[in-house]
Amino acid sequence: NAGVTQTPKFRILKIGQSMTLQCTQDMNHNYMYWYRQDPGMGLKLIYYSVGAGITDKGEVPNGYNVSRSTTEDFPLRLELAAPSQTSVYFCASRSESSYNSPLHFGNGTRLTVT
Amino acid sequence: QKEVEQNSGPLSVPEGAIASLNCTYSDRGSQSFFWYRQYSGKSPELIMFIYSNGDKEDGRFTAQLNKASQYVSLLIRDSQPSDSATYLCAVKGGDKIIFGKGTRLHILP
C-alpha cells in the first residue's frame, strides 16, 4: 500500500512565486489534513477536508488555498510565496470509521522560500 | 483559539528509567487524545490514543487522561535509547486535530 503520497519531496521557491504541493491517498479516507512544521516546533493545521467538495480553515490558513475535487487528492496551493512559508509540509488522512482513528502521514515536503 | 501545551524540553532520562511527558489542552469539548513520536527528519507516527478518563497501557507505554484537569500524559517505562525522539500530543475536537509543540526526549545510555 502506498498510503499517503506527497510530491515533491523538496522545493526551493523565490519570493512571489506560486506552487502546488500534491497529496494523494489510496486508503479511501474521507478526512484529509495539511499541516506545516517549522524547525523545532509542532504541527500547525493549515486546512482540512471531511470529504470531496468540502474544505475548512485550520489554525494558519493565510497564504494558502486548497481544493478537494476527489476523495484521493488534496492539493495545497501557495500563492505569492513568502519567506515565512519556509517549512516542512505534511499531508495526512484518516478514516471516519471511528473518532479515534489515527492520522496517516505522508513523508512531507520541505519547502524553502528565498 | 484552541491550544495544546507541552514542555518543549529537552527531557533527559537515564536508560531503564521512566520518562513522563505531559500535555494540557484548552478545549473542554475535546474528544480524543493522541501521542505521536517523531524522529528527526521523519513523519510523526502514532504511539497510542486515549479517550476515557484514566489509564491506558500498551506495552511499555501508558497514557493517562484527566478531562476535569484537561491534562493528558504519556509514561514510557524501561526507557531505551531508541525512545529518543520528539513526542507530540494531539487533541481532536470536532473534525480538527490540533498538535502541541512537542517534547524532545533524550534517553541517556
Side-chain angles (χ1 to χ4, degrees), chain A residues 6 37 90 105-108, chain B residues 37-45:
Chain A
Q6 292 184 239
Q37 186 174 35
F90 288 103
F105 284 91
N107 288 332
Chain B
R37 178 176 61 200
Q38 186 179 29
Y39 293 113
S40 182
K42 301 295 186 182
S43 305
E45 54 181 345

Side-chain angles (χ1 to χ4, degrees), chain A residues 8-26:
Chain A
K9 287 186 171 58
F10 304 93
R11 183 72 186 267
I12 298 174
L13 279 182
K14 294 189 186 301
I15 294 171
Q17 288 185 321
S18 61
M19 77 164 293
T20 299
L21 282 67
Q22 301 291 347
C23 176
T24 187
Q25 51 93 9
D26 62 359

